[in-house]
Amino acid sequence: MSATGNESRACVAIVDDDEEMTLILQEFLEIKGLSAERFLMAETLLAATPLRFAAILLDIHLPGMWGTECGSELRRRGYSSPIIAISGNIEIWGQKNLQDFGFTYALGKPLDPIQLLELLKKHLMRSSGASSGAETKESAMPP
């Protein structure tokens, strides 16, 4: 499920069990000049050298390992770039809980592609500024 094309572009991981949504997101990001790889399960992402991704879009409700567990594991392994929670029920989690699981930002489904692109560009435009797990965007993460 790898994106093909220019390997020098920043690569974003998309982790969601909705295969159609991952394909749409991948196509959107590639049109906007980013590279993307799709994963249907958290375990598959963790097995794919996740530290190489510029950012990770991670659904919370996944089969097998939940996104919350995966976010914590990514941070434990030293992943310091943004992990963006995506969920149809994002409001039930709360900002503090999501930060505790390693998420940097949170976006509700259906995703606003412009908001997503702004978050990614904000991060990718930083020189080498690896984001800490505590940084949030107030409009993106619920209280």
Side-chain angles (χ1 to χ4, degrees):
M1 287 195 206
S2 276
T4 59
N6 185 351
E7 297 302 319
S8 66
R9 295 183 293 175
C11 192
V12 176
I14 304 165
V15 188
D16 196 307
D17 58 328
D18 181 341
E19 188 169 9
E20 184 177 351
M21 189 181 98
T22 64
L23 182 59
I24 291 167
L25 276 173
Q26 179 183 32
E27 289 175 359
F28 171 75
L29 293 175
E30 289 178 350
I31 288 169
K32 296 302 181 181
L34 297 170
S35 174
E37 287 189 38
R38 301 177 295 130
F39 302 90
L40 299 177
M41 297 179 62
E43 296 89 345
T44 311
L45 168 73
L46 292 173
T49 321
L51 299 181
R52 65 191 164 95
F53 294 108
I56 296 173
L57 306 178
L58 183 56
D59 188 15
I60 293 176
H61 299 283
L62 292 167
M65 178 186 280
W66 274 41
T68 50
E69 186 180 352
C70 182
S72 295
E73 178 62 17
L74 286 164
R75 295 299 184 207
R76 188 190 70 72
R77 292 184 184 190
Y79 186 80
S80 60
S81 293
I83 303 172
I84 302 170
I86 54 176
S87 176
N89 299 312
I90 206 73
E91 67 281 347
I92 67 171
W93 288 93
Q95 179 176 344
K96 177 70 172 116
N97 286 338
L98 290 171
Q99 287 176 342
D100 288 346
F101 288 116
F103 291 100
T104 314
Y105 304 104
L107 296 173
K109 291 181 184 175
L111 290 176
D112 176 342
I114 302 304
Q115 185 180 28
L116 172 61
L117 193 60
E118 288 173 0
L119 283 175
L120 291 172
K121 284 187 175 183
K122 176 183 173 183
H123 165 69
L124 297 173
M125 287 173 43
R126 292 185 191 141
S127 51
S128 65
S131 177
S132 74
E135 183 180 341
T136 63
K137 179 177 178 179
E138 290 179 10
S139 64
M141 192 165 288

